Amino acid sequence: EFKSSSPTQSYFDNKKEVHIVSANNDIEEVLFIKQKLSELQNELQTNALDDTAIILNKPENLSLVLSAIPDNIEYNVSMEYPLYLTPEFQFLMQMLRIFVQLDNSKEKQRRIYHKLFVNLILNPFFKRYAFQQLNMNEYIIHSIVKDINRFNKIYISIDDSNIIAKEIFKSEEEEAMIKYNFLKFLALFKENNLEDIIAIMNNLFNTYLVYIMNEKKDIVTMNIIQTICEQLSRIEDILKADKDKGDNRVFKSIRDVFVLVQQILSKEAVAFKGEPLKGLQIIGLLESRLLDFEQVFIPFTNEGIFPPNHQKISFLPFDLRVHYGLPTHYYDDAIFAYLFYRNLHTPSKIFISYNHLEGNDEKGVRSNAGEPSRYIQQIKYELSQKQNIQVKNFTINIADKKTEIALPIVVNKNEQIISKLNQINFSPTSITTYLDCSLKFYFNYVLSLRKTDDTKEDLAADIEGNIFHAVMNKIYSEYKDTIVDYNKIGSLVKDSVRISKMIAEEIKEYNFEHKGKVLIQEEILKRDIITFLKKEIEVNKNKKIKVIYTEKEEKPDLVVFNNRVNLYGIPDRIDYIESENVFRIVDYKSSFSDNYDIMHFNKIQDFLHNTKKDGSINKQIQLLVYVYFAVEKQLIDLNRGSVYALILP
């Protein structure tokens, strides 16, 4: 539509409403667009917003904007979307990264690094591909990830037929079919030939393209995959021509091919197809020139986006460009300013929004300084002075509404919760959790909500503690019901090779690679074990000590406390000093402080009802539970002697 005006008449003499909105983040800006689109529907009493446009100069937020459009509004996208932002492109690069990792592997054992593997199978495109081509649903995929974390699989073998647990299948036929399909997919990574690797990737995308073309539903994905297939075919031709050069070929490794694919495809854009003469128009700033609309939305209007940062990479410095009349960034800014203000000529309603908070991208680099565009400043200064133009300023805070008074979180005990509490087997850890934070206890033990552990590549503090306990139990379990021979333990202290072997056997249980940082941690752990055993020998060498119980023994049954609470506690070691007639209940700790409270209670009930429940008594709680448990299970005989509970650092 073309509208004319006399030479003396300004477009800004027409009646206009300019809404300038300040938001906390991009999501709030999109929610604002959604709200205003719904209001326009009601005001115009139609779903055909043919005279409305969203001008977007931040293409990475296109999917976010599309999600905000009400379902009953027809729209058209007349802008290109960068290919590198799509999950399909990310899937392609993730597969090529795995090929690079396999090629760099010294062992050449065809094992995929767990982070690369998990990123691949959690990719949104792979989930769709797996469901349609491999008969794998999301539940199976997340079960694989769960098992990788649970069993601490740092590397995943391509030929591992047990990669998917049997428990998740309904029948043996389903298990055989899905495992066959998935292992067939993993077998793609056995290819070494550079040209064939690209051909494999091209064939994979083409197979899925045929499927979605038959379905005729997902037009956007169809355009994305068509673009990828076109470029992969082009790269295939490049590699074939390069192969004919023999020793003079340019692309000699999969890493070279990875860089080639990344450089070519990352510069591509996906053209969306639609009807430009019908419906709500979503267009870029360049596409908007010479087009007139009645309502215009211009989101993400921050400095650096409107206008963008124009930094020309050139051998000619700025001063020389000015002297010889060559284009500079001022020229680009002038073009951009014209295009922006051209969109404000004819609309009667203009909605401009920006983000006023500083933001960082995924790499931690500041991507938004929270500064409104210079155009917004000019609108506020100049257009607000015109009587026929209403400039309205708003600040929205949808995502960060806080009450002035923080209300306490209260969970009332109903019959269901009480029934669950009666079923819980209380350990020392659960008791100390309750004393530290009753809400955390509710989440962990009543609702059974636990944080999922990630795959570990080195010995975290808890794993070091577990290995220390395991080695101690292995050493002292040899003396069950016999006198500890500290001369023999002294010989073990001198045999560092044997201790290293014991530690290495425990590390192997966690599927760690026995190299790098793990070797350093192993040496530190060996030093700690030798230091601890030396202290044990020094303190106990003149005593006759008999080991009664060690942690690795079969877990004993529960004991019932106060006729209603199921209680259990497994001490690290129980021994008996014959010369002193004393039973000792021992708990190993990696850290220890001497300023713990000394507690004197005649009954454990008195202790548990004590009002002082600070964090300094957590270890003592463990020992008291161990004492109670050991007495109730008759692991110690109070008629034979007294009992000490010890924390050994």
Side-chain angles (χ1 to χ4, degrees), residues 40-51:
L40 283 175
Q41 279 183 287
N42 297 331
E43 180 182 335
L44 302 175
Q45 296 183 349
T46 178
N47 294 331
L49 301 180
D50 296 340
D51 214 5

Side-chain angles (χ1 to χ4, degrees), residues 54-55 64 74 79 122 162 226 291 311 342 388 424 488 497 541-542 555 574 620 634 639:
I54 299 176
I55 299 173
L64 195 61
E74 187 176 357
M79 60 181 295
L122 290 182
N162 297 319
Q226 282 179 334
L291 298 178
Q311 295 182 356
R342 171 66 182 75
N388 59 315
I424 294 175
K488 190 175 180 181
V497 175
K541 62 182 178 180
N542 296 324
K555 186 177 178 180
I574 300 177
Q620 283 83 346
Q634 298 181 351
N639 295 323

Side-chain angles (χ1 to χ4, degrees), residues 171-438:
S171 63
E172 292 183 358
E173 291 78 11
E174 182 187 45
E175 177 187 359
M177 177 187 65
I178 292 178
K179 283 189 174 181
Y180 172 80
N181 290 337
F182 191 51
L183 289 175
K184 186 178 179 181
F185 169 77
L186 292 180
L188 299 177
F189 294 108
K190 295 181 180 180
E191 184 58 59
N192 293 319
N193 187 280
L194 302 183
E195 299 79 18
D196 291 341
I197 289 175
I198 298 301
I200 286 172
M201 301 302 303
N202 201 1
N203 181 64
L204 186 148
F205 280 105
N206 269 304
T207 303
Y208 190 74
L209 179 61
V210 171
Y211 167 77
I212 59 176
M213 289 180 70
N214 292 332
E215 293 291 318
K216 297 180 180 179
K217 292 181 180 179
D218 195 348
I219 304 299
V220 173
T221 302
M222 188 185 304
N223 292 336
I224 293 171
I225 296 181
Q226 282 179 334
T227 304
I228 291 176
C229 290
E230 290 172 2
Q231 298 305 319
L232 287 179
S233 298
R234 174 187 169 195
I235 292 171
E236 273 192 79
D237 295 337
I238 293 174
L239 293 178
K240 288 177 182 177
D242 185 59
K243 185 179 180 180
D244 296 337
K245 297 179 181 178
D247 295 337
N248 295 323
R249 65 184 304 177
V250 177
F251 306 103
K252 299 179 180 179
S253 68
I254 185 61
R255 182 177 290 276
D256 298 333
V257 175
F258 175 87
V259 174
L260 175 67
V261 173
Q262 188 176 42
Q263 286 184 347
I264 291 179
L265 271 76
S266 62
K267 296 177 182 179
E268 291 296 313
V270 181
F272 290 89
K273 298 177 182 178
E275 177 51 64
L277 301 178
K278 187 178 180 182
L280 171 68
Q281 298 297 313
I282 303 173
I283 55 181
L285 190 64
L286 291 175
E287 289 82 7
S288 69
R289 59 191 183 275
L290 301 180
L291 298 178
D292 295 328
F293 298 94
E294 191 63 26
Q295 294 85 216
V296 170
F297 292 84
I298 310 180
F300 318 118
T301 320
N302 281 88
E303 188 70 21
I305 300 175
F306 280 92
N309 292 320
H310 295 291
Q311 295 182 356
K312 290 187 176 295
I313 300 176
S314 172
F315 290 107
L316 297 178
F318 177 78
D319 293 340
L320 280 180
R321 284 183 165 275
V322 172
H323 179 75
Y324 289 105
L326 298 175
T328 65
H329 67 273
Y330 293 131
Y331 178 77
D332 295 326
D333 287 348
I335 295 176
F336 213 87
Y338 167 76
L339 294 174
F340 180 87
Y341 285 105
R342 171 66 182 75
N343 285 289
L344 307 185
H345 284 179
T346 58
S348 60
K349 288 187 177 181
I350 302 164
F351 303 95
I352 302 174
S353 62
Y354 69 95
N355 184 342
H356 65 253
L357 292 184
E358 180 180 317
N360 298 328
D361 61 14
E362 66 276 3
K363 296 181 180 179
V365 179
R366 192 174 75 169
S367 58
N368 173 37
E371 182 182 354
S373 168
R374 65 190 73 172
Y375 305 144
I376 292 179
Q377 307 287 13
Q378 190 172 3
I379 289 171
K380 289 181 179 180
Y381 180 74
E382 293 183 356
L383 297 188
S384 61
Q385 298 179 13
K386 294 182 176 291
Q387 294 182 354
N388 59 315
I389 297 179
Q390 290 183 322
V391 178
K392 301 178 181 180
N393 296 283
F394 302 95
T395 299
I396 56 176
N397 196 6
I398 300 172
D400 192 29
K401 289 186 177 179
K402 297 180 180 179
T403 56
E404 294 182 1
I405 301 175
L407 299 177
I409 301 175
V410 178
V411 180
N412 295 319
K413 292 181 183 176
N414 53 32
E415 293 183 2
Q416 185 179 2
I417 292 178
I418 293 174
S419 175
K420 178 66 176 178
L421 289 171
N422 291 332
Q423 298 173 12
I424 294 175
N425 299 327
F426 288 89
S427 66
T429 303
S430 64
I431 296 172
T432 55
T433 299
Y434 177 79
L435 295 177
D436 289 339
C437 178
S438 58

